[in-house]
Amino acid sequence: MNSRRLFLKQTKKQENLFGKTSGRICGKMSEIEESVRRIELSMQCLVQYPESYFEGEERDGFYIEPMMKKAWAAQIEVLLEVQKVCEKNGIQYFAEYGTMLGAVRHKGFIPWDDDLDICMRREDYMKFISVVERDLPKDFVVLNIHTEPTFTDLLTRVVNGKSIQLDEKHLEKYHGCPYVVGIDVFPVDYLPRNTEEADAQLKLLGIVLHTAQLYGLEDAELTELGEMTNQIAQLCGVKWKDKKPMQYQLYCLAERLCAMYGKDDADNMGMPVKILCGKKYIYSKQAYDSAVMMPFETIQIPVPVGYDEILKAKYGEYMIPYIRKKGHAYPFYKEQREILRQYLKANGMSGEGFYITEEERTEEC
């Protein structure tokens, strides 16, 4: 009897020891996996470019100048900082618009594209904007309706500074690009399956955004706008706050209207603001269930698993390349280049490293 008790006691001790050891091993494995993930991320963030990458070249019949190559690389550096924030906070992002198309069709930037766009499901986007300022490098700037009074787009822009930088450390990190560069982050929302609700959502969103835009006009008729905002408050069941700018409150309301439906209420996803503008960018919610990694220049970028459905909705036969007009002047740094030229001239500095010739640098405005 005593020997049986001793055996059971020893067995229990071994079980306890095994349990503790197993727990430590599992814990160590988790730590190792997390360390490997961080190392992989760090290696991606330290991506090296061969010097030949920054030479001008022709792709699909379009010439890409050397500074655009540097701007591309600089934008990728901004993306990798955003990726760190997403990794840290369990946020999934996806390539969006031309960036998604570029990954699928060109394995990088579309040759005539000059910006970088990503998107997030609404729940991830709201988490992102709540942590991004805290977790990004201190010199970065986050622009959205909550951080910048003059910002009027329902998206977030992340940029690597406030002005052109010529210091050596900055130029080294951003591959010789002195200009302010960044990326746009778009929320993708769940769309109500009930068509009447969908129509009502878009109509109300249109009224709210139109009223917000009127508040931005210098000659706005405040009495008339006051009546409009009172009607909006009644329709939406909201109360305006006296101490906050009305335009800001209207944009916040517009954001809430976009986000008012959840996954269980929807079969499809899209961007209500774009749909309101006539873009039929509506996709099955399964298109954003997960991501597939695709090459993008020198890194890998996550693309929605339903990229084929999304790209067909946006671009039709998307694998046939043709040059599309941008919604802004190309290149995006055109105005910054002129500011830099004038600065170099005023300070007697060479523009050689920035592809500004001596003739350009010294010319009169």
Side-chain angles (χ1 to χ4, degrees), residues 208-226:
V208 172
L209 286 174
H210 177 66
T211 308
Q213 290 161 1
L214 290 176
Y215 266 96
L217 301 177
E218 290 183 6
D219 58 347
E221 178 53 59
L222 295 181
T223 303
E224 185 180 340
L225 286 177

Side-chain angles (χ1 to χ4, degrees), residues 26-286:
C26 290
K28 279 291 181 187
M29 287 300 292
S30 297
E31 288 177 20
I32 291 168
E33 288 172 359
E34 180 62 22
S35 296
V36 169
R37 202 158 62 88
R38 287 178 180 174
I39 290 168
E40 288 174 344
L41 184 60
S42 298
M43 288 176 69
Q44 180 152 284
C45 290
L46 292 170
V47 62
Q48 298 294 315
Y49 295 81
E51 278 302 314
S52 60
Y53 179 85
F54 298 107
E55 295 173 0
E57 68 168 306
E58 191 173 292
R59 294 186 188 178
D60 290 318
F62 187 87
Y63 179 72
I64 307 151
E65 64 183 32
M67 183 52 78
M68 180 54 68
K69 291 288 202 67
K70 293 187 175 187
W72 282 358
Q75 288 178 74
I76 287 173
E77 293 297 339
V78 175
L79 174 65
L80 294 176
E81 294 293 348
V82 168
Q83 181 172 286
K84 288 182 190 178
V85 176
C86 293
E87 288 274 342
K88 179 179 178 180
N89 294 282
I91 294 168
Q92 177 65 65
Y93 79 89
F94 307 94
E96 180 56 282
Y97 289 111
T99 306
M100 186 196 312
L101 179 57
V104 173
R105 193 173 69 193
H106 301 273
K107 295 182 172 57
F109 282 95
I110 297 172
W112 41 92
D113 202 1
D114 64 347
D115 56 8
L116 206 158
D117 298 321
I118 65 172
C119 70
M120 299 170 184
R121 293 178 294 247
R122 172 61 69 173
E123 59 269 34
D124 280 328
Y125 178 81
M126 298 311 292
K127 185 191 291 187
F128 177 75
I129 64 174
S130 72
V131 300
V132 64
E133 286 189 289
R134 179 195 71 195
D135 292 342
L136 277 176
K138 298 304 179 187
D139 54 340
F140 273 47
V141 179
V142 177
L143 301 168
N144 57 40
I145 60 170
H146 305 289
T147 64
E148 175 54 52
T150 61
F151 202 84
T152 59
D153 292 322
L154 297 184
L155 57 91
T156 291
R157 183 165 295 134
V158 178
V159 295
N160 66 343
K162 295 180 179 179
S163 61
I164 295 168
Q165 298 290 325
L166 302 179
D167 64 277
E168 188 176 338
K169 186 177 179 182
H170 181 93
L171 292 175
E172 183 179 355
K173 177 173 174 57
Y174 295 105
H175 308 283
C177 179
Y179 305 121
V180 176
V181 303
I183 66 173
D184 285 346
V185 185
F186 295 85
V188 183
D189 289 296
Y190 296 101
L191 306 175
R193 59 173 61 93
N194 183 298
T195 54
E196 289 184 5
E197 288 185 33
D199 288 343
Q201 180 196 31
L202 289 178
K203 286 177 182 176
L204 192 51
L205 179 62
I207 292 169
V208 172
L209 286 174
H210 177 66
T211 308
Q213 290 161 1
L214 290 176
Y215 266 96
L217 301 177
E218 290 183 6
D219 58 347
E221 178 53 59
L222 295 181
T223 303
E224 185 180 340
L225 286 177
E227 292 174 3
M228 293 171 70
T229 52
N230 286 337
Q231 291 175 7
I232 289 170
Q234 290 176 359
L235 282 169
C236 298
V238 297
K239 289 185 178 180
W240 306 121
K241 297 178 181 179
D242 295 335
K243 294 183 179 180
K244 292 194 174 181
M246 183 54 67
Q247 187 182 44
Y248 168 69
Q249 293 186 73
L250 286 164
Y251 280 121
C252 287
L253 176 58
E255 188 173 63
R256 292 202 300 275
L257 287 171
C258 290
M260 64 188 295
Y261 294 97
K263 191 172 184 178
D264 294 339
D265 307 311
D267 296 319
N268 296 318
M269 299 187 76
M271 299 179 188
V273 173
K274 298 295 183 183
I275 297 169
L276 186 64
C277 295
K279 304 286 188 181
K280 301 300 181 185
Y281 296 168
I282 300 173
Y283 337 101
S284 66
K285 64 183 179 183
Q286 289 79 16

